[in-house]
Amino acid sequence: MPGYVGIDVAQSELMVCHRPEGRVWQARNTPSGRARLLAELQALAPERIVLEASGGYERPLWRLLGRAGLPVVRVQPRRIKALARALGREAKTDALDATLLAEAARLLELPPTPVPPPELEQLRELVDVRRHLIEERDSHRRRLHTIESAPARAVLTELIAALQKKIQALDRTIQQHLRTCPLVPLAAAPGLGPVLRATLAARLPELGRLDRGQIAALVGVAPYNQDSGERQGKRHISGGRADLRRVLYMATWAAIRARSVLAETYARLRARGKPKKVAVVACMRKYLTMLNAMARDQAPWAPRVA
């Protein structure tokens, strides 16, 4: 009978549940604790192991299990919460969370999450740090508009300038790292700069491996219907990888301003009365589809002209 394992990851502890046996046990989230857990799981040979993405605390265990050849899957917390609601699970403890993750391993037929090479992990960390710096800089910029005190404005202005210098230095580091990192080759394209290349490599390793609908849903630019009976609601996007979507948004605007084929799409949608945000998201989806095809076919940027 196939076995399924759920692991609830905390900063210092790992709560493990094995189904159908129902055994729950605890391990330390340390190198030695993870090594002992690896030996136990290799002996159990489970069909699937599910971890919840826990702010990075799960990454050492995920890398260890994945590189050992075990079928480990990282799942977004929102999917586990939705499963808990569907099963009517209201109580929450570490042991119950591990049991729920084991149920997810049994019910959700998900492929193992591939572990990236170390160079790609370093690139991902650089991209994550850049995102946090940008969020901090933009937060200070917004706060600057509400402050009238000259000394306080001077402190914020100096802080914003320092963060901007750090972001620019990090951009140079990312550009250097791109030269040595194993990436999916992508030909030159409008809006496709080092930041988008790095973000695609770090946050979208599936590029070129999925079809257009799957890749759009993964990023979160696929429109979902809201219809019921005779009512036809507005379609909207949902879920996906928000940090990647932000970078794609800026790159799409750059491609539109470069008067590429995306500029024609944007102008046509606006002429049909579509709101600006709807037109931009449609262009993002088209741009992502084209990059996905370029990665899949190892082809240059050659959009079809109507």
Side-chain angles (χ1 to χ4, degrees):
M1 192 171 185
Y4 302 93
V5 172
I7 306 176
D8 182 61
V9 181
Q11 183 176 0
S12 57
E13 301 290 339
L14 303 168
M15 190 66 71
V16 189
C17 176
H18 179 250
R19 290 287 193 184
E21 182 184 5
R23 184 166 69 99
V24 178
W25 71 99
Q26 199 173 44
R28 298 286 294 171
N29 194 5
T30 61
S32 59
R34 292 191 293 267
R36 284 193 290 272
L37 179 58
L38 170 63
E40 290 182 85
L41 294 178
Q42 286 175 325
L44 289 172
E47 184 83 10
R48 192 175 298 111
I49 303 168
V50 165
L51 309 173
E52 190 177 55
S54 303
Y57 292 132
E58 82 290 346
R59 287 182 187 173
L61 180 62
W62 165 51
R63 287 194 291 262
L64 179 68
L65 300 182
R67 287 169 184 163
L70 291 175
V72 59
V73 182
R74 288 173 77 217
V75 180
Q76 291 301 315
R78 61 184 179 84
R79 299 191 69 175
I80 302 302
K81 289 178 182 176
L83 178 62
R85 286 194 297 269
L87 295 175
R89 306 279 178 86
E90 298 294 339
K92 180 177 172 60
T93 66
D94 291 343
L96 290 175
D97 287 348
T99 303
L100 180 63
L101 289 167
E103 282 296 303
R106 182 178 68 86
L107 296 172
L108 305 178
E109 296 185 2
L110 300 170
T113 307
V115 178
E119 299 87 351
L120 208 54
E121 275 287 294
Q122 293 176 19
L123 183 62
R124 178 171 186 159
E125 289 176 353
L126 289 171
V127 170
D128 285 346
V129 171
R130 182 183 186 276
R131 173 171 57 85
H132 289 304
L133 289 177
I134 287 176
E135 288 174 354
E136 186 178 354
R137 180 202 64 188
D138 292 347
S139 175
H140 292 317
R141 282 178 174 173
R142 288 190 295 270
R143 189 174 293 112
L144 194 61
H145 293 298
T146 65
I147 292 179
E148 297 180 0
S149 166
R153 288 181 64 86
V155 170
L156 274 182
T157 302
E158 184 179 346
L159 186 55
I160 291 167
L163 286 169
Q164 185 62 29
K165 286 183 180 179
K166 289 182 180 180
I167 292 168
Q168 290 171 349
L170 194 55
D171 285 346
R172 291 191 291 270
T173 303
I174 288 173
Q175 197 161 3
Q176 293 171 358
H177 202 79
L178 281 171
R179 300 191 185 103
T180 59
C181 194
L183 305 176
V184 175
L186 274 174
L192 183 58
V195 174
L196 180 58
R197 285 183 183 273
T199 307
L200 289 173
R203 296 291 291 121
L204 195 63
E206 299 89 350
L207 190 71
R209 304 179 194 171
L210 304 178
D211 62 37
R212 57 189 298 170
Q214 290 171 324
I215 205 74
L218 201 58
V219 176
V221 293
Y224 293 102
N225 295 341
Q226 296 294 311
D227 302 335
S228 178
E230 296 182 358
R231 173 184 170 275
Q232 290 189 343
K234 291 183 178 179
R235 299 197 299 170
H236 70 279
I237 62 174
S238 178
R241 299 172 184 176
D243 52 341
L244 171 57
R245 197 162 53 246
R246 282 191 290 268
V247 177
L248 182 64
Y249 173 84
M250 298 304 297
T252 302
W253 268 122
I256 290 171
R257 294 190 185 104
R259 304 183 68 83
S260 68
V261 67
L262 296 178
E264 300 172 11
T265 302
Y266 180 78
R268 185 174 66 252
L269 291 172
R270 291 290 286 149
R272 286 167 48 190
K274 297 295 183 182
K276 183 181 291 187
K277 187 177 290 187
V278 172
V280 173
V281 171
C283 289
M284 289 169 64
R285 187 165 57 252
K286 182 171 184 176
Y287 190 28
L288 180 64
T289 299
M290 296 167 79
L291 294 176
N292 189 56
M294 288 167 60
R296 182 194 63 216
D297 302 334
Q298 293 300 289
W301 173 267
R304 295 178 180 177
V305 179

